[in-house]
């Protein structure tokens, strides 16, 4: 329900949706010159609970985000950018003060609303965080081919702290911190902001409590009434003390997560957070296993309803769990819940290491066999030391590596995930072939010499490396700009409170509060670029079948009339076939890219900059990229993640695994997709378990497994309505097959099916 | 020493225990009506044509020294009698619609490929399987490959029709961990009809191999309409009962992949069914044999 207060708003003319935007804007204006944390807290007050959707009689867990909003404060929301008003149709992920600039056109129902919204948008055009950060970026960054103009980010928060201390405990902590700061005469603004934010949180709990009570009165059955009364009781309890039961913990965690994030929610390591509550309740007998299962399923259901498909990661298992036994118990139940809950969210992520209770791994394989896509597998024995090196942190901290969203690396609850810039590696490669331009003449990099001058492969490779350096330099400047912008304008109170070490330092996350400020560049088309290098090295420099200049012309013409050359390129060794040359090339390029990123990040004052191979942008980014020397035609999709290009891995799973395992985990995260027919999980269950064990023992970082067969998919194309359950995985995320666009469907079918 | 190989398949799950690499040798004395690898039968390299990839561009016509290719508006014909499998058209075809099946490889070359998955064999109890065709058609190569592989400590299986002189089996037995022994038809007349050879020697060899203590898996292709009668299934169970060292019976249901492939090498499969065998049928056969023997029966 909207809580419209007296602020000169014409109640009859404005819908609650529009009125809230006006109200929010008013709050911002009133506190424009206050401390950023206070201003933000006052805006949150105008936002919550106003924008949240009501509790429904069938709900067990309270808290639902709106479908859309006009003006909003949070870590991330997808919206039209300010330029939309001038007719430039760009949209993306905004962070901080997020504004939907198409609102006057798309949300207004009448002239009064249009007029009111025009005023709102006029105000935000310069004032939204996106605009403020764009002012920090220079023209080169604004127009860069990295395509990154997004300023939103995801956060994995420390819910352990929330659940242990409870809201009152956190308030005590803030007050204690405040008195220390006061003694030293420091700035208390951030801490005051936190206190207001927690008040808003409590008010929201009580708002939902009232709704639950009202619904209980009109409940259709005694059972429903009891459930709603329990919800009401819990919503009050969590405002006055730390949660005592599994259900209280789930409610508190969920509502905080929802209010503290944005359109992306990142539940994170739930087995750590909820394991003790789960085990205690079961041991005390206050809840049965089936009741606990129902609650987990309810949680899965709110995550599914409120989360975005590409994110919403729940992580189970792995190193660094303080309560491993209880966490394992919760993890087993959560795996079972995902087996039953056949949906694309939450993105269940399963971490494991040698020495972890083997029944979890076994259960995870059973679940993926039935669910078809989840969980995704992450090998901690490889990834923890890898993350330690790539992020430059100790092994103790590296256990917090969090493969967020599509697979980008960040450190849970001590770094934000700056990730919204996307790099087409093949485009940088083509720039090396065109003296810094794309094949249609757009400048995308520095001049690195005409191809005629590359008389050795090393000269070509070195030109490409310069293009890589340039891209990484851009990337680090983009991220740095975001950090500076958020530092000046936003405190991100919800996220800061549950991040190391904001409270201790008394500072907001971007204002020196959070332990690490780093970014993860999302790279696409690694395999296409590496396979291009391999092919050129062999055909141009080794066998001298044609000159590089000729080849570039043929590529620019998209192989027209030169299918013979394309075939030659296609027949060159390809990554994913356990071929020394091709695999070595990719590993070497990967190493260089991450070294370059690291240096560029350091130079701009970021704690780390890594590059991850993620998805699913490989499809979209391939569309506007010219033909590449691996034989890929103009516009065809890139290879997804750290995987062979579809159809190029001809030697089977073991060969692909051998290839992938050659890539050094010390250089950022990589996703690898494996699509398996269901038989692997039935008749060949034992052999498959061994297959994965060896892959991970060899140093495989990660695997996304899809269980499906070609017939399923072809049948699904013909009769989509019958195959709505077929889920497929595209690297880091999953989607219903029938929802995908035809090009992607074809690609998935074309991919090697083992 | 070189052998004629038409495929090396890694991560093979169905040719013996664990994860394996299967080496397919070209040439077979049998010509089974349902052969699932028709490109394995001839002992010479063959041209393999993927018609759906052909754009009728004519590159092959220009490249072929023997003028084997002829094109019409909608058709691409290959004169297989003239074809010497020289491979000129294969390199010329821009669409990869032509392939050459059959590649001369050294023992060490094969082993280099096999060795790549050693880690997977160790964990899963797998290894190398030599299949075909009939590996004993290239007996010397097979024997050398098995011996070298054993020297490297790999687990060896050989899939054989049993149609070869017994002394050859005696010579390789120390290097073979498990024989994958085909039982195609129990009735001698039908055997002759469906495979082109008599089964007397095959049966004798099986008993000899069993007597010398080598482990075997009986591999039984079951083809609906040809040999799926109860009397044959019963014979399989009986046979297993008479032998001492049968570790498993594999029921291998008919699938039409062989038929599809035969068209690509310009041949016509005598057994023309397009149908995959339904699972229920396979389960029924497995059950039927299973209750009549103590040896485990599995789908192969």
């Amino acid at each position: 329900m909207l809580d419209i207060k007296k602020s000169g708003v014409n109640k009859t003319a404005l819908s609650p949706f529009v009125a809230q935007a006006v109200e929010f804007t008013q709050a911002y204006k009133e506190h424009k010159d206050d401390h950023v944390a206070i201003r933000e807290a006052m805006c949150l007050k105008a936002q919550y609970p106003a924008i949240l959707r009501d509790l429904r009689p069938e709900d067990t867990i309270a808290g639902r985000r709106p479908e859309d909003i006009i003006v909003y404060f949070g870590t991330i929301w997808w919206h039209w950018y300010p330029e939309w008003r001038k007719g430039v149709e760009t949209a993306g992920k905004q962070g901080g003060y997020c504004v939907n600039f198409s609102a006057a056109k798309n949300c207004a129902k009448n002239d009064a609303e249009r007029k009111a919204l025009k005023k709102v948008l006029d105000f935000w055009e310069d004032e939204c965080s996106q605009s403020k950060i764009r002012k920090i970026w220079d023209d080169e960054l604004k127009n860069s081919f990295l395509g990154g103009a997004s300023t939103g980010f995801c956060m994995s928060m420390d819910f352990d702290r929330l659940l242990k201390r409870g809201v009152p405990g956190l308030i005590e902590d803030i007050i204690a911190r405040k008195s220390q700061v006061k003694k030293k005469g420091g700035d208390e603004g951030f801490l005051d902001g936190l206190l207001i934010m927690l008040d808003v949180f409590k008010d929201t709990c009580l708002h939902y409590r009232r709704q639950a009570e009202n619904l209980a009165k009109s409940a259709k059955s005694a059972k429903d009434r009891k459930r709603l009364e329990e919800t009401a009781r819990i919503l009050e309890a969590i405002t006055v003390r730390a949660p005592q039961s599994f259900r209280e913990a789930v409610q508190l965690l969920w509502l905080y997560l929802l209010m503290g994030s944005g359109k992306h929610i990142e539940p994170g390591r739930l087995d750590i957070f909820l394991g003790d509550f789960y085990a205690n309740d079961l041991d005390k007998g206050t809840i049965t296993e089936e009741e606990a299962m129902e609650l987990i399923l309810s949680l899965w259901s709110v995550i599914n309803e409120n989360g975005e498909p590409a994110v919403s990661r729940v992580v189970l298992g792995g190193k660094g769990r303080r309560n491993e036994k209880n966490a394992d118990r919760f993890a087993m139940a959560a795996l079972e819940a995902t087996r039953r809950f056949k949906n694309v969210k939450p993105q269940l992520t399963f971490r494991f290491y040698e020495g972890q209770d083997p029944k979890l791994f076994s259960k995870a394989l059973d679940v993926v066999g039935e669910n078809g896509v989840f969980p995704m597998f992450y090998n901690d024995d490889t990834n923890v030391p890898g993350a330690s090196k790539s992020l430059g942190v100790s092994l103790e901290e590296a256990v917090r590596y969090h493969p967020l969203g599509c697979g980008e690396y960040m450190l849970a609850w001590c770094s934000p995930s700056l990730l919204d810039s996307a790099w087409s590696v093949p485009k940088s490669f083509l720039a090396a072939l065109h003296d810094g331009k794309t094949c249609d003449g757009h400048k995308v990099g520095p001049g690195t010499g005409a191809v005629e001058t590359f008389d050795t492969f090393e000269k070509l490779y070195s030109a490409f490396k310069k293009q890589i350096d340039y891209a990484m330099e851009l990337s680090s400047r983009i991220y740095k700009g975001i950090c500076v912008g958020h530092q000046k304008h936003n405190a991100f109170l919800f996220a800061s409170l549950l991040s190391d070490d904001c409270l201790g330092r008394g500072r907001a996350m971007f204002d020196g509060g959070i332990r690490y400020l780093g970014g993860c560049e999302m790279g696409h088309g690694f395999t296409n670029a590496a396979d291009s290098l391999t092919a050129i090295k062999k055909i141009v420099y080794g066998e001298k079948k044609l000159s590089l200049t000729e080849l570039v012309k043929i590529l620019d013409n998209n192989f027209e009339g030169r299918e013979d050359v394309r075939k030659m390129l296609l027949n060159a060794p390809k990554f994913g076939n356990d071929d020394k040359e091709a695999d070595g090339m990719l590993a070497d390029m990967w190493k260089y890219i991450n070294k370059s990123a690291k240096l560029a990040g350091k130079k701009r004052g970021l704690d780390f900059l890594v590059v991850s191979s993620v998805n699913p942008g490989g499809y979209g980014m391939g569309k506007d990229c010219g033909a590449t020397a691996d034989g890929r035609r103009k516009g065809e999709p890139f290879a997804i993640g750290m995987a062979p290009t579809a159809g190029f891995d001809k030697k089977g799973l073991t060969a692909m695994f051998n290839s992938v395992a050659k890539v050094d985990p010390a250089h950022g995260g990589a996703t690898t997709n494996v699509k398996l027919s269901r038989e692997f999980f039935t008749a060949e269950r034992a052999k498959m378990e061994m297959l994965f064990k060896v892959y991970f023992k060899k140093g495989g970082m990660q695997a996304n497994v899809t269980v499906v067969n070609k017939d399923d998919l072809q049948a699904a194309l013909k009769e989509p309505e019958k195959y709505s359950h077929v889920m497929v995985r595209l690297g880091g995320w999953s989607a219903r097959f029938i929802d995908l666009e035809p090009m992607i469907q074809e690609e998935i079918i074309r991919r090697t099916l083992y | 020493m070189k052998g004629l190989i038409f495929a090396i398949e890694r991560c093979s799950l169905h040719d013996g225990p664990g994860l394996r690499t299967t080496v397919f040798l070209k040439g077979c004395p049998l010509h089974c009506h349902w052969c699932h690898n028709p490109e394995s039968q001839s002992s010479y390299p063959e041209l393999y044509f993927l018609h759906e990839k052909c754009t009728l561009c004519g590159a092959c016509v220009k490249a072929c020294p023997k003028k084997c290719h002829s094109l019409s508006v909608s058709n691409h014909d290959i004169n297989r009698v003239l074809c010497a499998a020289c491979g000129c058209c294969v390199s010329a075809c821009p669409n990869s619609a032509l392939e050459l099946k059959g590649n001369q490889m050294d023992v060490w070359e094969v082993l280099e490929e096999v060795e790549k998955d050693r880690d997977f064999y160790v964990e899963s109890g797998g290894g190398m399987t030599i299949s075909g065709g009939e590996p004993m058609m290239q007996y010397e190569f097979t024997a050398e490959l098995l011996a070298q592989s054993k020297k490297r400590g790999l687990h060896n299986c050989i899939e054989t029709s049993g149609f070869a002189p017994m002394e050859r089996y005696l010579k390789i037995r120390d290097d073979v961990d498990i024989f994958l022994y085909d039982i195609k038809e129990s009735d001698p007349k039908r055997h002759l009809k469906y495979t082109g050879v008599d089964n007397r020697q095959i049966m004798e060899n099986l008993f000899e191999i069993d007597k010398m203590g080598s482990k075997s898996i009986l591999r039984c292709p079951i083809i609906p309409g040809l040999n799926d009668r109860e009397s044959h299934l019963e014979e399989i169970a009986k046979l297993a009962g008479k032998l001492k060292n049968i570790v498993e019976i594999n029921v291998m249901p008919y699938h039409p992949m062989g038929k599809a492939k035969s068209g690509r090498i310009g041949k016509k499969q005598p057994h023309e069914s397009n149908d995959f065998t339904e699972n229920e049928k396979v389960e029924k056969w497995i059950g039927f044999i299973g209750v009549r023997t103590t040896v485990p029966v599995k789908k192969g």
Side-chain angles (χ1 to χ4, degrees), chain A residues 54-60 215-216 218-220 224 227-228:
Chain A
D54 292 346
L55 191 71
R56 296 163 298 194
E58 66 271 26
D59 289 337
T60 301
L215 287 171
S218 56
K220 284 196 182 117
D224 282 355
R227 180 172 45 79
L228 288 159

Side-chain angles (χ1 to χ4, degrees), chain A residues 563-564 566-567 570-571 577-580 633 651-658 680 684 687-688 690-695 697-698, chain B residues 9-19 21 89-96 98 113 116-117 119-121 123-125 299:
Chain A
E563 279 299 320
D564 57 323
R566 179 164 177 261
K567 191 182 170 194
L570 285 173
N571 285 340
N577 293 292
D578 204 1
D579 179 279
K580 239 186 187 166
R633 289 198 182 93
K651 295 214 165 169
L653 261 183
T654 50
M656 188 186 110
F657 278 160
N658 280 344
F680 263 88
E684 303 301 341
K687 287 184 183 178
M688 196 206 46
M690 290 183 256
L691 180 70
F692 279 100
K693 273 194 179 148
V694 178
Y695 164 58
K697 249 190 204 167
K698 289 175 86 105
Chain B
E9 199 179 299
R10 290 166 67 176
C11 199
S12 156
L13 301 169
H14 307 287
D15 297 321
L19 301 161
T21 295
C89 61
V90 175
S91 356
C93 174
N95 305 307
S96 306
L98 290 159
E113 189 68 14
K116 286 181 175 172
D117 285 343
D119 298 336
F120 293 93
Y121 313 147
E123 181 76 25
S124 68
K299 187 176 165 182

